[in-house]
Amino acid sequence: MRWLYPLFLLSSLAMAQFPGGPPPSRGPWSNPKLPPEERARLLVQAMTLDEKIQMVHGVGWFFGADMSLTGEAPPPIVYRSNGGGGFIPGIPRLGVPDLQMNDAMVGSGGGARMGRYSTAMPSALALASSWDLDLAREYAALIGKELRDQGYNITLGGGLNLTREPRNGRNFEYLGEDPLLAGRMAAAYVQGKQSQGIVGILKHYALNNQESGRYFANVRMPRKGARESELLAFEIAVKEGQPGSVMCSYNLYEGDYACENAYLLNDVLKKEWNWPGFVMSDWGATHSTVKAALNGLDMEMPGNTFFDGALKAAVEKGEVPMARLDGMVRRILWALFRAGVFDRRPQRQAPDIFRGFEVAQKAAEAGIVLLKNDRAVLPLDPQMKGTIAVIGGHADKGVLSGGGSAQVDPAGGNAVPPAPPKPGSSLLDIIFGTPVYHRSQPLRAIQALASSAKVVFHDGKDIAGAASLAKSAQAAIVFAAQHTSEGKDLADLSLPDRQDDLIAAVAAANPRTVVVLETGTAVKMPWLARVAAVVEAWYPGIRGGEAIANVLFGRVNPSGKLAMTFPKSEDDLPQPRLVAQPPARGPQDMGPMFPGGPAKMRVNTRQFDVEYPEGARAGYKWFQSMKREPLFPFGFGLSYTTFAYSGLRVDAAKREVAFTLRNTGQRAGAEVAQVYVQLPASAGEQFRRLAGWQKVTLKPGESRTVAVALHPLALAVFDEKAGRWETPRGTFRIFAGGCSADTPLRGEMAIQ
Ligand code: BGC
């Protein structure tokens, strides 16, 4: 709910920084040589009941607010908050530091009101499109470092809900539709954050795949489908990434809220995956005291409706055993000890802006996907003479970003000042609906690279005018943007505001029309056949303009591959079944808005069941099994060079495949070589699964042997009755190539 904070801009003035780090701790737990679990155990033993309770809940929605707004004296604790998305006061007596949390999926959020600069990284979907695990680590480490420089010790950024529904407004802050790709990228991402002494998180666990009705959606999906799709992504990410925390989601799964769902939290996450960290609720996603505590929730955020006095009373009455409360606190402390939060005094400093630029640009360049390039219109010749028409998308001002809690404040303010809100708009409409542009101008970057040409900009509002400029130009580059945000889904996948008409008109006027997309998810392209080239640049971050220009003019050879399917039409997508339930639960208590303010935010909406018919077949698996042609398939992306695959060898004992990859073109380039498997017939699957990949950089003419290990869970099915993974016996078909729909190498692997 960070988007409400601008209301409290004044608060920053009242906020004093907590000077220095935590006071020295005074017990055996302060010995950094002891393992984190031992330190956590010792510290819990030293805590009073009140101190334990203090650790398991936040202090309110607007703990950073200036209480003069409510006419009340502020509680002193408010002034120790760092102004981030969440705050839990520490316990000086025991040396427990304040827990300072902030949203940070694509950069540390909400800093401008605190006078802080954060690097706006390209969207997480752009990162996923790089398929580069080292880059994911570097991207996240940069954000982790900035969080630490700003005084935070827990990140709230680590989203990996699978892209089942391309219209989901939050796809830009997630890692695509495939459980292996999303899971492994998320693991690398969490490791990167945690390498900087920050408690890492994965969210939103689980099946929070749409924003519409997110507080009330009861997802119904057989366990097999859930385990083989989104829960598989979490399983890989939790086991490989070992996050300190997992955030449970708003929605329900099979009748229970995710934050009090014994199956999700206790049975799977904690017992089956043997994960020692703590479960934190999404903001306002706690709905009970005893049920939530017993079923696995360890921390209520951001307020204290259920896990403060109510939890204390429940412990005193024996409804929640003291051992369970101890376990909650121990998990939190384990994560803090392991991240080094107790041992390192915060060193506030201004982030290294230039390092940020470097990593942001590198990630943007690696994530850009070249979708079409007829007659090799790209790369454009930097020596070209004549006119280049740059049209639309505010390319003269900046690049678009995604909204909601993953919004990074634009340095220097929004490059495209928003239009005044429509009459009758709610505050949430305004906050979710306001596109924010970062000040990295594609126009300027293009001008810098095309120094012999005359680069002319047209804002695209007058379509005929834009087309006539394009007609007289050597090449036309149309920028098209689609804003998406937390809190709302897209009605459809069309580009808004007549941009399709603009592109069609420009393409009709100039055969060398290049479309650059800045989108948070897939879009439809009714003009595709008429344009020469399409570059998907996603939300490219604070150096997005430079990254785009480098790709357009060939300084960077694009190597990104789609992490999600682009459908031709919404009709080809799975159609979820929605069943409204009677408003049985009445108004939902969302916790106190802010101290002294309206006591409760009450929302009264019907619960509804949502059945996702695709189950395990999210994304390309649905398209394959339904034999539907997408616009662009998962894993697709062109390069300015070409690659050839040959010589597939399968090593069944090692569960590994190897082949030769050769750069057959004239330029150096990187290829994401992908391996898919089709399980033996007994699995009954009409689709292939991504089982592994390697990103390989090759010089022109160079060839290399590429070995790809097949992930064991990509070869297994979840046996719902037995409650475990089983690898079917029989013949696995193997496919290798540069895209899910183009796999020149085929082989077999027998598992007996
Ligand atoms: C979002 C979370 C976010 C939290 C804190 C919630 O509404 O769903 O992703 O971390 O707010 O801002």
Side-chain angles (χ1 to χ4, degrees), residues 7 168 176 199 209 212 252 267 325 513 516 521 569 571 626 677 736 738:
L7 255 190
N168 177 8
V199 175
N209 302 116
S212 310
L252 302 89
D267 300 352
L325 177 62
T513 293
V516 178
T521 184
S569 150
D571 296 340
M626 301 300 286
V677 293

Side-chain angles (χ1 to χ4, degrees), residues 1-3 103 156 170 203-204 214 247 250 282-283 405 486:
M1 298 294 274
R2 293 288 313 286
W3 50 88
D103 277 302
L156 302 175
R170 297 190 83 168
K203 72 185 186 184
H204 309 85
R214 67 177 180 177
M247 183 189 283
Y250 285 124
D282 198 346
W283 267 222
S405 55
E486 177 178 351

Side-chain angles (χ1 to χ4, degrees), residues 114-304:
M114 313 292 295
R116 295 181 192 135
Y117 171 87
S118 309
T119 300
M121 300 296 284
S123 68
L125 186 56
L127 175 66
S129 311
S130 76
W131 297 56
D132 185 337
L133 297 171
D134 292 334
L135 182 66
R137 246 172 247 117
E138 194 177 351
Y139 172 111
L142 185 105
I143 302 171
K145 172 78 166 62
E146 292 191 359
L147 284 166
R148 214 178 71 205
D149 289 347
Q150 295 176 349
Y152 294 104
N153 45 30
I154 300 182
T155 175
L156 302 175
L160 77 152
N161 296 99
L162 282 199
T163 304
R164 270 178 204 287
E165 172 47 83
R167 287 162 290 192
N168 177 8
R170 297 190 83 168
N171 287 339
F172 78 92
E173 47 173 316
Y174 300 148
L175 295 161
E177 69 190 23
D178 180 78
L180 182 65
L181 178 63
R184 298 209 66 199
M185 291 298 280
Y189 178 99
V190 155
Q191 289 163 357
K193 283 264 178 83
Q194 295 189 158
S195 72
Q196 300 303 308
I198 295 285
V199 175
I201 200 169
L202 294 174
K203 72 185 186 184
H204 309 85
Y205 184 70
L207 295 161
N208 183 179
N209 302 116
Q210 61 182 56
E211 289 298 278
S212 310
R214 67 177 180 177
Y215 301 120
F216 312 104
N218 175 32
V219 178
R220 311 219 41 205
M221 189 186 294
R223 286 183 181 175
K224 179 172 158 58
R227 293 300 303 264
E228 292 179 359
S229 57
E230 181 151 311
L231 266 60
L232 174 54
F234 274 96
E235 178 164 359
I236 292 168
V238 164
K239 288 179 175 169
E240 280 185 26
Q242 286 295 317
S245 184
V246 166
M247 183 189 283
C248 48
S249 54
Y250 285 124
N251 55 287
L252 302 89
Y253 174 54
E254 293 293 353
D256 286 318
Y257 282 106
C259 289
E260 55 184 43
N261 192 305
Y263 177 70
L264 289 178
L265 305 182
N266 278 345
D267 300 352
V268 176
L269 177 61
K270 291 184 175 177
K271 291 200 192 107
E272 196 189 314
W273 299 346
N274 197 22
W275 170 72
F278 69 98
V279 177
M280 167 198 297
S281 76
D282 198 346
W283 267 222
T286 311
H287 294 272
S288 63
T289 300
V290 175
K291 182 177 178 185
L294 295 183
N295 288 356
L297 180 67
D298 301 304
M299 180 189 281
E300 175 190 5
M301 286 305 292
N304 61 349

Side-chain angles (χ1 to χ4, degrees), residues 165 167 569-578 610-614 622 628:
E165 172 47 83
R167 287 162 290 192
S569 150
E570 295 82 2
D571 296 340
D572 292 337
L573 298 170
Q575 307 294 327
R577 210 166 78 87
L578 301 182
V610 50
E611 290 172 18
Y612 294 111
E614 75 284 359
W622 168 262
R628 292 183 187 164

